[in-house]
């Protein structure tokens, strides 16, 4: 299996190599064309100049091209330009040759220029191309040939007195280009090595957190929930963000595992207590430990604990249904004010039994919201029933609905004992009960507020709780329809 590091490095190397090949090919082509074209134009200018100079020299000096001063001058031009200069008569016979390097020189004297070259000069006025001049030159050279034209003012005629040929070895044409190419190749290799090193370090730096996450995930599978990805705390890029999200997920998994263990312990405790009570009283009746006159009271206790067990099982089934992946919250339009009033009426007996008053702050018109009316009814029922149980006798319950923007805020308030701040963060946990209520609330099983939180989360809404100076208020939101 190819690692991410190897694939990333191979991709970077391939892209870089392709870029260098494209850039190098373009550079080589353009630079070669530039160097060769520049050399060709220089040779043509030199040939034109020598032809013009020769024509003028023939007109003014009677000795012609055999003059030593003329030959010395042309030889100097040949040395300066680095080219072989050949003067041929119209019939192609070489009259003078001044060369550079091993192309010939005086050895060319008496030779003859190929007829094809002479014919092309006569027809087109010049010749240019690669040629060894029929073997006169030791190697293939680039040859430029131009006619020596002499004008006669008296007759108005222009005659060709010969041909000037300038030949340069191809090595001289490509030497500069090769130097450029060598510099480019060395620079490309150096840049490639630097980029490869940087890419290697970068790829390893990117893959290390991924490997750490894979190792941590394997540890999670073995039940080690304390594994975390370290070393990415100061990274501000996507990898750092991923590592942060992974650690947050790990914290959530660890918390869920702790809650699962606590849930099992709490369920065992909640089931054990009533079952122990039921078994104890039943055994007492059966073995005669409980006298006949107290059997009725014992049976009442057994009945009460049995109903408590039934409520616990029913609440756990409701919780399982709410947390099931198959549970889909229905989205209907309904009046939340009507739901709250209906729940209030259903709990009128408990409210009067505790001697409580009710203060309402509800809009006159209907407050239409989106959600599951049955689930929201259960939320209102659990919150209001919870407020009734913990409100001090003679105080007032508060019900309020406010509309702000696209949200409706439903609040239920009671006056009782202040919930400590450290318990507010745990109040929605499963089986959590405030210490002051454990002995008083024999009917509760510690799942009511957890079910409320689950329903509100299924609606993608929020619920908050505040408790100050004996006033505890729960507020949840719903989206306006």
């Amino acid at each position: 299996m190819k690692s991410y590091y190897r694939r990333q490095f191979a991709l970077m190397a391939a892209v870089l190599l392709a870029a260098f090949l494209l850039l190098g090919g373009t550079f080589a082509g353009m630079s070669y064309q530039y160097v060769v074209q520049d050399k060709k134009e220089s040779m043509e200018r030199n040939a034109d100049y020598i032809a013009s100079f020769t024509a003028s020299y023939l007109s003014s000096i009677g000795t012609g091209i055999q003059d030593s001063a003329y030959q010395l001058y042309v030889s100097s031009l040949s040395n300066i330009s680095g080219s072989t200069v050949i003067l041929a008569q119209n019939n192609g016979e070489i009259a003078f040759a001044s060369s550079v390097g091993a192309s010939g020189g005086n050895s060319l004297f008496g030779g003859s220029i190929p007829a094809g070259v002479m014919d092309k000069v006569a027809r087109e006025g010049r010749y240019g191309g690669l040629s060894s001049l029929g073997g006169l030159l030791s190697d293939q050279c680039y040859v430029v040939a131009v006619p020596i034209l002499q004008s006669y003012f008296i007759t108005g005629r222009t005659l060709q007195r010969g041909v000037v040929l300038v030949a340069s070895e191809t090595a001289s044409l490509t030497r500069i280009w090769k130097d450029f190419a060598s510099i480019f190749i060395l620079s490309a290799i150096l840049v490639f090595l630097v980029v490869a090193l940087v890419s290697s370090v970068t790829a390893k730096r990117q893959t290390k957190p991924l490997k750490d996450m894979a190792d941590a995930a394997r540890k999670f599978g073995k039940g080690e929930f304390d594994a975390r990805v370290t070393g990415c705390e100061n990274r501000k890029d996507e990898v750092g963000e991923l590592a942060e999200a992974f650690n947050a997920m790990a914290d959530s998994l660890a918390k869920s595992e702790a809650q699962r263990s606590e849930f099992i312990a709490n369920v065992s405790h909640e089931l054990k207590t009533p079952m122990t009570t039921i078994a104890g009283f039943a055994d007492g009746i059966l073995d005669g430990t409980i006298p006949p006159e107290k059997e009725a009271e014992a049976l009442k206790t057994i009945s009460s604990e049995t109903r408590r067990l039934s409520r616990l099982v029913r609440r756990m089934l409701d919780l399982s249904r709410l947390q099931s992946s198959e549970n889909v919250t229905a989205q209907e339009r309904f009046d939340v004010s009507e739901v709250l009033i209906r729940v209030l009426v259903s709990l009128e007996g408990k409210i009067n039994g505790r001697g409580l008053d009710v203060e309402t702050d509800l809009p006159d018109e209907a407050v239409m919201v989106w959600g599951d009316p049955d689930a929201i009814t259960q939320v209102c029922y659990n919150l209001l029933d919870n407020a009734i149980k913990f409100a001090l006798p003679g105080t007032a319950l508060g019900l309020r609905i406010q509309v702000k923007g696209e949200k409706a805020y439903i609040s239920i308030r009671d006056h009782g004992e202040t919930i400590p701040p450290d318990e507010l963060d745990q109040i929605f946990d499963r089986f959590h009960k405030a210490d002051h209520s454990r002995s008083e609330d024999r009917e509760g099983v510690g799942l009511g507020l957890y079910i409320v939180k689950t329903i509100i989360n299924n609606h993608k809404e929020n619920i908050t709780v505040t408790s100050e100076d004996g006033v505890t208020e729960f507020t949840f939101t719903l989206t306006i329809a």
Side-chain angles (χ1 to χ4, degrees):
M1 179 184 67
K2 291 186 177 180
S3 65
Y4 174 79
Y5 161 71
R6 290 183 179 178
R7 281 182 287 145
Q8 184 75 4
F9 180 79
L11 179 62
M12 291 279 292
V15 171
L16 190 63
L17 182 60
F20 273 126
L21 289 176
L22 179 61
L23 181 62
T26 304
F27 169 79
M30 294 183 64
S31 61
Y32 182 79
Q33 286 295 111
Y34 173 78
V35 172
V36 172
Q37 187 65 28
D38 181 69
K39 186 65 176 179
K40 288 179 180 179
E41 292 176 356
S42 176
M43 291 174 63
E44 290 176 353
R45 286 195 301 269
N46 291 339
D48 289 335
Y49 174 77
I50 294 174
S52 177
F53 172 75
T54 301
S56 299
Y57 196 85
L58 291 175
S59 298
S60 58
I61 305 297
T63 57
I65 63 173
Q66 301 303 324
D67 184 73
S68 59
Y70 170 82
Q71 292 184 0
L72 179 62
Y73 182 73
V74 172
S75 296
S76 299
L77 293 178
S78 174
N79 290 327
I80 293 173
S81 63
S83 303
T84 298
V85 178
I86 302 173
L87 274 70
Q89 299 178 9
N90 289 333
N91 61 2
E93 183 179 348
I94 297 176
F96 172 78
S98 176
S99 67
V100 176
S103 296
N106 293 330
S107 62
L108 299 177
F109 186 78
S112 182
I113 303 299
V117 175
M118 300 301 294
D119 291 342
K120 190 171 183 179
V121 172
R123 290 194 315 268
E124 300 179 7
R126 74 181 48 243
Y127 167 85
L130 289 174
S131 175
S132 64
L133 296 180
L136 294 176
L137 303 176
S138 58
D139 296 310
Q140 287 283 98
C141 296
Y142 188 80
V143 179
V144 173
V146 296
I148 301 173
L149 300 177
Q150 188 172 14
S151 299
Y152 295 90
F153 296 102
I154 299 175
T155 62
R157 297 176 62 190
T158 300
L159 298 179
Q160 178 176 321
R161 298 291 302 274
V163 175
V164 174
L165 297 95
V166 178
S168 180
E169 296 179 352
T170 54
S172 64
L173 291 175
T174 58
R175 187 177 298 114
I176 299 178
W177 175 81
K178 288 182 178 180
D179 292 340
F180 286 163
S182 299
I183 295 173
F184 176 82
I185 292 174
L186 290 176
S187 301
I189 292 175
L190 180 61
V191 172
F192 183 83
L193 293 177
V194 172
V195 173
L197 178 62
V198 174
S199 174
S200 177
V201 173
T202 303
K204 285 186 176 181
R205 186 169 181 264
Q206 289 178 344
T207 55
K208 184 180 181 303
L210 300 180
K211 290 182 179 179
D212 293 342
M213 292 178 201
D215 293 339
R218 295 187 188 98
K219 291 181 180 179
F220 290 161
K222 296 178 182 179
E224 302 177 22
F225 293 98
D226 58 342
R228 297 293 184 273
V229 178
T230 59
C232 300
E233 293 78 7
N234 297 325
R235 294 188 63 157
K236 303 301 181 182
D237 55 5
E238 291 81 357
V239 175
E241 186 177 352
L242 177 61
E244 182 181 356
F246 185 90
N247 287 336
M249 179 195 69
D251 293 338
S252 178
L253 288 175
K255 183 178 179 181
S256 297
E257 178 62 18
Q259 289 177 344
R260 185 185 69 83
S261 300
E262 183 183 2
F263 175 75
I264 294 175
N266 288 333
V267 168
S268 300
H269 174 76
E270 294 292 336
L271 291 175
K272 180 181 178 181
T273 301
M275 290 177 66
T276 301
T277 302
I278 293 172
F281 279 100
D283 290 341
I285 295 174
L286 291 174
D287 61 17
T289 303
I290 297 177
E293 63 273 12
K294 293 186 177 180
E295 287 183 359
E297 183 178 350
L299 289 174
K300 288 181 180 179
T301 302
I302 292 175
S303 176
S304 174
E305 292 300 314
T306 302
R307 286 194 297 271
R308 185 174 176 223
L309 273 176
S310 177
R311 287 194 301 273
L312 176 60
V313 172
R314 186 170 61 251
R315 285 295 182 90
M316 292 177 64
L317 289 175
D318 291 341
L319 184 59
S320 177
R321 177 180 58 82
L322 289 172
Q323 294 179 331
S324 172
S325 59
E326 298 177 358
N327 177 65
V328 179
T329 302
Q331 289 294 314
E332 301 178 16
R333 294 179 73 253
F334 65 94
D335 183 4
V336 69
S337 298
E338 180 184 348
V339 169
L340 190 58
I341 294 298
R342 190 165 60 245
V343 172
L344 179 64
V345 172
S346 68
L347 292 173
E348 183 177 1
K350 286 188 176 183
I351 294 174
N352 293 334
R354 297 275 295 174
L356 303 174
D357 292 330
V358 179
E359 298 176 352
T360 60
D361 182 11
L362 307 179
D364 295 333
E365 65 279 1
V367 181
M368 304 303 296
V369 295
W370 287 107
D372 184 348
D374 293 336
I376 299 303
T377 298
Q378 185 175 3
V379 169
C380 295
Y381 185 93
N382 288 1
L383 291 178
L384 190 55
D385 182 61
N386 191 72
I388 293 171
K389 284 188 292 186
F390 298 121
L392 295 177
T395 59
L397 302 175
L399 306 180
R400 181 177 61 192
I401 296 178
Q402 289 181 309
V403 177
K404 297 179 181 179
E406 298 181 353
K407 296 289 184 179
Y409 292 80
I410 300 91
S411 302
I412 297 177
R413 182 180 68 253
D414 70 83
H415 295 262
E417 294 187 20
T418 302
I419 302 175
D422 57 337
E423 287 195 13
L424 283 178
D425 295 334
Q426 308 171 18
I427 200 167
F428 292 107
D429 292 347
R430 290 171 292 194
F431 296 108
H432 177 78
K433 297 180 182 180
D435 291 338
H436 63 80
S437 67
R438 287 191 181 274
S439 60
E440 300 175 5
D441 182 21
R442 295 289 298 171
E443 300 294 323
V445 295
L447 290 175
L449 291 180
Y450 183 76
I451 290 176
V452 167
K453 178 71 171 177
T454 302
I455 292 174
I456 295 301
N457 287 344
N458 287 345
H459 280 73
K460 304 294 189 296
E461 300 289 349
N462 296 317
I463 182 169
T464 58
V465 57
T466 60
S467 184
E468 296 178 356
D469 300 327
V471 179
T472 301
E473 184 174 31
F474 290 84
T475 303
F476 65 93
T477 63
L478 291 173
T479 303
I480 297 295

